[in-house]
């Protein structure tokens, strides 16, 4: 059974990542970009995570997000108050047991490379401001999802994020000026065509 795709608000949500390797690093980067408050718990951290933590101290690149590194093994109480948990340790039993605790507490959980323990998957993501495109293979083949993502990216010649921003600015004006759903829809379609022609 395939998974239902939906967009979820992560801004200022507490996210726990257990494990400090390169997989955890990639998840951290993705979640910070969407404004999550991320805590990474691990006895060791890969150089990329340590460098990212240092860069965040001297940069506001992820000003809407936040990163904390905790140097120890993950503990059951670490999931308290978490909105999302990602288990990426080298210990399969710890990953499974923590995933079970998350399910009991109805916390969204992803165990890297263990489909049976996942309540959700990370799609391959293309992000251009507010325009977000995601590709999922239901955990069957992340490599295929990445390949599809790159194929889509190669055909995107415009800044759809800029167009979406402009549409957002004009949306309320159109709603105030035009009555009727069909008439508004036609106006929005014409505006999108016009903005696409300009880009």
């Amino acid at each position: 059974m395939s998974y239902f795709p939906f967009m979820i608000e992560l801004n200022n949500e507490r996210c726990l990542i257990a494990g400090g390797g390169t997989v955890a690093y990639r998840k951290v980067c993705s979640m910070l970009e969407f404004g999550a408050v991320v805590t990474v718990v691990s006895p060791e951290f890969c150089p990329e995570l340590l460098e990212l933590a240092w860069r965040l101290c001297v940069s506001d690149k992820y000003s809407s997000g936040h990163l904390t590194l905790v140097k120890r093994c993950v503990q059951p109480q670490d999931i308290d108050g978490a909105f999302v948990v990602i288990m990426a340790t080298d210990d399969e039993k710890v990953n499974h047991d923590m995933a079970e605790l998350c399910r009991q507490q109805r916390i969204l959980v992803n165990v890297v490379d263990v489909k049976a323990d996942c309540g959700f998957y990370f799609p391959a993501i293309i992000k251009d401001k507010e325009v977000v495109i995601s590709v999922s293979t239901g955990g069957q083949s992340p490599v295929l999802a990445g390949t599809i993502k790159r194929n889509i990216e190669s055909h995107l010649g415009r800044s759809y994020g800029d167009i979406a921003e402009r549409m957002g600015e004009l949306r309320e004006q159109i709603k105030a000026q035009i009555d009727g759903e069909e008439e508004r829809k036609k106006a929005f379609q014409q505006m999108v065509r016009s903005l696409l022609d300009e880009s």
Side-chain angles (χ1 to χ4, degrees):
M1 168 99 38
S2 58
Y3 278 50
F4 180 81
F6 66 93
M7 300 298 182
I8 193 165
E9 174 69 68
L10 278 186
N11 191 46
N12 292 322
E13 293 288 358
R14 181 171 175 262
C15 301
L16 170 70
I17 299 179
T22 55
V23 171
Y25 166 73
R26 291 195 299 270
K27 306 300 185 193
V28 167
C29 289
S30 182
M31 299 183 91
L32 286 177
E33 194 170 0
F34 289 87
V37 177
V38 182
T39 299
V40 182
V41 179
S42 178
E44 302 292 335
F45 301 105
C46 67
E48 294 90 344
L49 262 174
L50 292 172
E51 182 182 347
L52 176 62
W54 180 82
R55 284 200 324 257
L56 292 176
C57 290
V58 297
S59 167
D60 63 354
K61 179 180 178 185
Y62 295 114
S63 59
S64 60
H66 183 71
L67 174 63
T68 302
L69 303 183
V70 179
K71 192 170 183 178
R72 61 168 169 74
C73 291
V74 68
Q75 299 171 2
Q77 61 266 30
D78 289 329
I79 70 171
D80 293 345
F83 181 65
V84 171
V85 172
I86 299 162
M87 296 302 302
T89 78
D90 293 331
D91 189 321
E92 292 181 6
K93 185 176 188 315
V94 168
N95 290 344
H96 175 76
D97 290 348
M98 292 291 285
E100 186 59 35
L101 283 174
C102 289
R103 281 190 291 274
Q104 291 171 8
Q105 297 187 36
R106 304 188 66 79
I107 298 170
L108 290 170
V109 63
N110 174 279
V111 177
V112 174
D113 291 333
V114 183
K115 183 176 180 179
D117 280 337
C118 290
F120 74 97
Y121 297 115
F122 274 85
I125 295 173
I126 301 166
K127 186 176 187 299
D128 182 0
K129 297 183 179 178
E130 292 300 311
V131 174
V132 179
I133 301 167
S134 63
V135 179
S136 173
T137 58
Q140 301 291 337
S141 178
V143 171
L144 176 59
T147 300
I148 295 169
K149 169 192 167 179
R150 287 187 294 277
N151 287 342
I152 293 171
E153 284 177 318
S154 71
H155 290 89
L156 294 178
R158 302 178 173 92
S159 175
Y160 287 103
D162 290 340
I163 294 171
E165 281 187 352
R166 184 68 181 130
M167 286 297 297
E169 293 167 1
L170 298 171
R171 183 176 176 82
E172 293 305 315
Q173 295 176 26
I174 294 295
K175 287 171 67 176
Q177 294 171 4
I178 300 176
D179 291 325
E181 187 175 332
E182 280 304 311
E183 290 76 11
R184 286 179 184 168
K185 183 177 178 181
K186 289 176 184 176
F188 289 138
Q189 289 172 339
Q190 179 57 47
M191 288 168 52
V192 168
R193 283 194 295 269
S194 176
L195 289 169
L196 285 172
D197 288 342
E198 292 174 10
S199 66

